[in-house]
């Protein structure tokens, strides 16, 4: 059983749509060109008329095609393909000095401004709309668990986590190539606690940790709260952290205790590390005897098209020396209302368990039991498949909106999965300025500056595509585009 | 509304039993003496025959009286009163040097030995039997919450905790004299996380924290995990931490960042700090500008007899300078299966909230909603009253068993509330040796040595009285007593 590969084949029309989308992305079909007719598609791909029509409708809803009355489907213009991707960072620059993170004030200002007012549209969060999660199935699982174990609320739960839950997690981990037993797994309060435990297991106050740049702001806050220094490593929006830059950093900066990476759908860029990079990074950490903290919060949201090319592989799956501390979360793909994550601590397993016990004791039973029951069922695979398909559409719609409304010169990286887009404003315009201008109109975005302890990424923003693309959201992007246009003129 | 005082008057027979128990404890009625006849009790206290009989039966079940056929009730011999209380520590001794805690290996050895095997009787835990908690009411509250908010498992919960829950907690805090608003409260994963946040808010790695000696082993583990030094302060089994010794320590040891105390039913001794001590300690911390971390895990279990003398007063209730970080838990008195606690951080409020967010994000909603609904109802008061009454009985029965079965010279402190007794073996016998001997017979106790980083308290043990006193438990104490007897001969 695998965690993320579909259990059955995709419907035909999805396969066809995947194929055509690929052709558009690869430039074989150019914007403005007419699509092959339905009849041609039927003949070429040996599918029914219904299948051909469904595929075209799907691509239309995603914004790749437009239907012109009596003329058939055309590749849409201006298309996502026309926005240049966000540039890779200069990989050869001398590394920053490792520094204590002083990001809390900055981030909390953005967070609290974003929370304070009743906003119209919040594009700053990193999760999906509640209706995209299996609320009812989880509710039923919780109700069942409460009825079957009526006294579970008054019985202390095991410190490592419930065995049933850890067994299901271990089984699912096989889907990313990891052979773990339930005993290798420590349940945590989300990936946030897992990351805290991993960092505390391998480093002490004052030590240096190598992180991606830009990085998940929560990680930077955690580093700050633990008194750790961050060394920001150039990270490509396509292929993730630069392994060469990590190597250079390990050679030139003494006392680096760990490297933290998000190999799949990095936050905020959405990059995916190629397997060769993952293996090279692991070898490097093994050679230098440095801990490798793998944050796997998002892999369940990787597009099926990617999975068909290459199945998921966690770095942990190649780890024969115990250098990898693997951290995961159910927050983004299963249930934002459950605080469930887990860690497999490798050679630091015992220390991780001790730290968890001393930090918060074991997690509550009910959430674990509800999650175990759902994750152990075929409904989990169905949910993930549906969610990923929905995200393909929403991501395309959102990318369309950005390319339609934002001024020329805007750059956009559309990740191959997940629920965020990474945008770069033209002319070095400041996304912090945009943040404040948008806030005045009750729109919230995540400015790039919260993802770094440096002054970089001020021209970037992360926008959410986890919500169904409503006219309201379309309007928000239109308004954002106007605001950027105004900045471009006045700035 | 108060957290802990009964909402209505106690039944008459309880009041009468309280009175008679007090007379026995005070020595006005000596072991072996005949109790006043039922008729005399009726006349003296103006109660019915039923009431007099119920009172005597209660005292009999608690082990204070025994019924002799045709002769009436007699004060029991040997009685609890005959075991001398555990000695106060020498208060004048020069303070220990502050030291890094190295307790994890020791404690985890005991914990894992105690967990490993299937034991017959576990007297080492610090909570009550599951059947003494309101399992069904909490289950119903959770079911209701799930039905009313079916999508709560898929909606992110607020970082500070659910407003409904914090409002109920603030209201209940009035019962210990604290005027807090919901905004002053941060919900945590148990008191364990609250203590972690409090310590991290006020101290950095390498700093020194003054703690009770003996102290809750979990606190010592937390100090160790955070790289903090502990300064153990002499603590009386009756009146808690020595304020004079704290004063001396603050004067002579530089860099103490906080004092941690459990004013009510200290773990393991069960001591209760007199109000005058609490106020003196607060003044001292204010003058020296040192944080005072108040761990209020147990006050809901203080005997009603004590509450009738003097209502609960948290140190926090006198805190006009924000020096107190108040930490609480629902674990011991409401639901060991919920990981719910809270902290009110005083002048460190913002830092506590930041640390909580960076450590684990907000708590899950469901447990908070279930707890809020129960705590906000009259059933909560009824539950607490029943639980406290039950504990009076179980404590007396357990104390009887110790005094019946343990050899002469054993000392015993019977706290005025709670679920543990603190025992001292005669002749300086080692409770660690007893631990291992007992384990071989599948009995588990908590040896005194896990409550200190020093070599003190090796003659002490903490025994649980949170379970109904069954023949099996009676047997366990009989066997423990024999083991101590054997040690006394061979040692
Ligand atoms: C990369 C990454 N890691 C960890 C987390 C935190 O996960 P959790 O909610 O499970 O604590 C997030 C959430 O935004 C994230 O983006
Ligand atoms: C004095 C004291 N504080 C805190 C705790 C931990 O409480 P919680 O289970 O709420 O984390 C305990 C539990 O034994 C305790 O005895």
């Amino acid at each position: 059983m695998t965690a993320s590969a579909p259990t059955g084949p995709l419907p035909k029309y999805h396969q066809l749509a995947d194929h055509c989308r690929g052709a558009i992305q690869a430039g074989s079909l150019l914007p403005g060109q007419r699509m092959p007719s339905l009849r041609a598609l039927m003949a070429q791909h040996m599918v029914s008329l219904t299948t051909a029509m469904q595929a075209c409708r799907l691509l239309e809803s995603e914004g790749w095609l437009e239907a012109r009355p009596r003329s058939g489907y055309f590749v849409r213009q201006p298309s996502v393909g026309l926005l240049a991707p966000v540039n890779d960072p200069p990989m050869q620059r001398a590394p920053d000095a490792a520094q204590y993170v002083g990001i809390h004030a900055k981030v909390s200002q953005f967070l609290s401004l974003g929370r304070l007012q009743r906003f119209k549209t919040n594009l700053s969060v990193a999760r999906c709309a509640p209706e995209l999660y299996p609320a009812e199935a989880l509710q039923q699982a919780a109700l069942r668990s409460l009825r079957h174990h009526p006294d579970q609320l008054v019985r202390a739960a095991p410190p490592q986590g419930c065995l049933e839950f850890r067994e299901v997690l271990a089984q699912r981990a096989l889907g990313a190539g990891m052979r773990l037993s339930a005993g290798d797994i420590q349940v945590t309060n989300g990936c946030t606690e897992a990351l805290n435990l991993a960092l505390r297991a391998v480093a002490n106050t004052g030590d240096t940790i190598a992180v991606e740049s830009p990085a998940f702001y929560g990680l930077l806050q955690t580093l700050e709260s633990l008194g750790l220094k961050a060394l920001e490593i150039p990270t490509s929006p396509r292929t993730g952290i630069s392994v060469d830059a990590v190597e250079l950093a390990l050679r030139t900066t003494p006392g680096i205790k760990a490297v933290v990476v998000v190999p799949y759908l990095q936050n905020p860029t959405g990059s995916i590390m190629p397997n060769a990079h993952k293996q090279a990074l692991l070898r490097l950490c093994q050679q230098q005897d440095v801990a490798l903290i793998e944050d796997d919060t998002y892999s369940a949201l990787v597009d099926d098209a990617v999975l068909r090319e290459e199945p998921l592989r966690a770095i942990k799956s190649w780890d024969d020396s115990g250098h990898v501390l693997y951290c995961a979360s159910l927050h983004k793909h299963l249930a934002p209302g459950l605080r469930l994550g887990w860690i497999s601590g490798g050679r630091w397993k015992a220390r991780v368990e001790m730290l968890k016990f001393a930090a918060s004791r074991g997690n509550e039973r009910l959430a674990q039991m509800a999650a175990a029951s759902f994750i152990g069922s075929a409904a989990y695979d169905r949910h993930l498949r549906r969610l990923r398909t929905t995200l393909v559409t929403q991501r395309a719609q959102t990318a369309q909106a950005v390319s339609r409304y934002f001024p020329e010169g805007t750059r956009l990286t559309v990740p191959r999965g997940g629920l965020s887009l990474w945008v770069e404003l033209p002319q070095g315009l400041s996304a912090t300025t945009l943040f404040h201008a948008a806030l005045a109109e009750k729109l919230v975005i995540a400015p790039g500056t919260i993802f770094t302890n440096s002054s970089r990424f001020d021209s970037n923003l992360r926008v959410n595509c986890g919500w169904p693309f409503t006219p309201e959201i379309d309007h928000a992007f239109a308004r954002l585009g106007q605001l950027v246009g105004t900045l471009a003129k006045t700035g």
Side-chain angles (χ1 to χ4, degrees), chain A residues 237-282:
Chain A
R238 289 175 305 107
T239 57
I241 202 163
S242 158
V243 181
D244 288 345
V246 175
E247 185 164 14
L248 180 65
L250 292 179
R251 237 190 4 248
T252 54
T253 309
I256 296 178
K257 290 297 169 58
V259 183
V260 186
V261 290
V262 184
Y264 283 106
L265 303 175
Q266 197 261 357
N267 183 357
T269 65
S271 63
I272 295 181
M273 285 177 76
N275 279 345
H277 291 210
K278 295 183 213 165
Q279 288 173 284
L281 182 62
L282 174 61

Side-chain angles (χ1 to χ4, degrees), chain A residues 27-50:
Chain A
S28 319
L29 279 169
L30 289 176
Q33 271 193 338
R34 167 178 290 145
M35 270 291 281
S37 69
L38 293 175
R39 198 166 298 272
L41 288 173
M42 287 163 65
Q44 233 173 299
H45 299 277
M46 294 190 297
V47 295
S48 68
L49 177 63
T50 323

Side-chain angles (χ1 to χ4, degrees), chain A residues 7 221 340 388:
Chain A
T7 48
Q221 288 181 304
L340 283 178
R388 288 193 294 253

